[in-house]
Amino acid sequence: MAEGAMGRRGLDPEQLVRRASRGLLELLDHAGSASVGLPRPDGTVYLFRTIRDREGDFDIVVDVRQSLCGWAMATGRSAICEDARSDPNVDRAIMAANGLRSSLYVPLMHAGKVVGVLAAGSPSPKAFNETDLRRAEAVASVVATVVATSEALTKLVSDFSTPGHRAGLRVDAAEIEAVGAFVTSLVDPGLAELGRRRLAIEAVLAEGGPTMVVQPIFELRGRSVVGVEALARFPTRPVRPPDRWFTEAERVGLGADLELAAARRALALLAELPPAVALAVNVGPVTLRDERFAELVGRVEAERVVVELTEHLRVDDYAGLGEAVARLRRYGARLSVDDAGAGYASFSHVLELRPDMVKLDRSLVRRIDRDGLRRDLAASLVGFAHRAGALVVAEGLETAGELATVEALGVEYGQGYYLARPGSLGESPTACSDPSPARRRV
């Protein structure tokens, strides 16, 4: 986000307006994109933009003097552009650059003052009608209140951080933090809790990221260790499972930062592993597409890196994800699709990305020796993976029966408590019985 568009302390209003833009997109059936725009001192509007069927941020800056967006803010009146190619009031260059033909604008009014604008766009001309306009206007007052209140409270908390204000009120740093917690808890207790968790995540990032343990991956035929999966651990309070930390980091806008920090810590372990042992690193789709992650992989012996794509939700931008995977493969890294059998996403990942490996989810492996339906589904997934040219790893193996069953289904690799528990590198059985990486590669 551009410097100065909004403050960072207090309620983190940026996250609020991003949620508002996503909600507006769902409200307007004909919109291809939706934005919440906030004015800046330099005479521009910063638009927090959400694009349908796309992930990530696509924000733009618009000059208020040359746009219908600026006109709506200047006059306090709503407006619809039916076709940018013939409307002299819109910035045609901006519209063309963003693939838009028609658009809609509703000013955000709070206490008689314009505090921003709701905007929606479409690649088709005449996409919006009066129903769309009424829907946008119906939620505008709510969004305006959220924006104005969050900015006001953010300024209040920020004021308590300035030396002059502190001196005037004779409060110390602890009291300043207490005031901030009090303000947010009054407005939204859930938001206050998110603020505390954001601070906890920022503390982990300040320490370089979570610590790492490894769990060995075995070739089932010879019971030799051919790889390890790096697993994040958070020894700091509050005590929560690792997946909760990553979920909450995503909620407060630090998801990619935390995943990158964990990946950095994981890849550092590669130098300590035997040469024939591969390292599996977990990332989500957003981080996988992040150039910073590709740079991390490019700095190590990438031929020994397996990138595990961890995601239970559908990915719509497979073209962008495929480009990121291709870049990693040029370095020599391989791709594994995690959680196969836990949801619909893994099937699409296999079809669209053609991974080198597929991991059967532990929920499918559990009791597979005693549950015929689980066994039948696993057999189908194993056949599906093999036809796609992928090897199969069974995770969550906890009994001899589960191990024997997945072996009988043709699964090549496995990991789980029955074979070895996660631990530090010093505790992990990472020696390979067969030193040939060509034969024992996972």
Side-chain angles (χ1 to χ4, degrees), residues 219 221 224-227 270 273-279 301-306 332 334 357 391 413 430-442:
E219 184 193 38
R221 182 181 58 187
S224 58
V225 177
V226 290
L270 197 61
L273 290 169
V277 176
L279 175 72
E301 192 179 349
E303 294 83 358
R304 296 168 58 201
V305 174
V306 177
R334 286 162 289 158
M357 275 155 279
L391 300 171
Y413 303 103
T430 54
C432 276
S433 59
D434 185 336
S436 169
R439 180 165 179 260
R440 297 293 184 180
R441 249 180 129 202
V442 66

Side-chain angles (χ1 to χ4, degrees), residues 227-250:
V228 297
E229 180 181 0
L231 302 169
R233 292 293 181 264
F234 296 83
T236 57
R237 292 185 179 278
V239 177
R240 294 190 300 278
D243 60 336
R244 285 280 302 280
W245 280 86
F246 287 104
T247 298
E248 288 166 3
E250 183 64 30

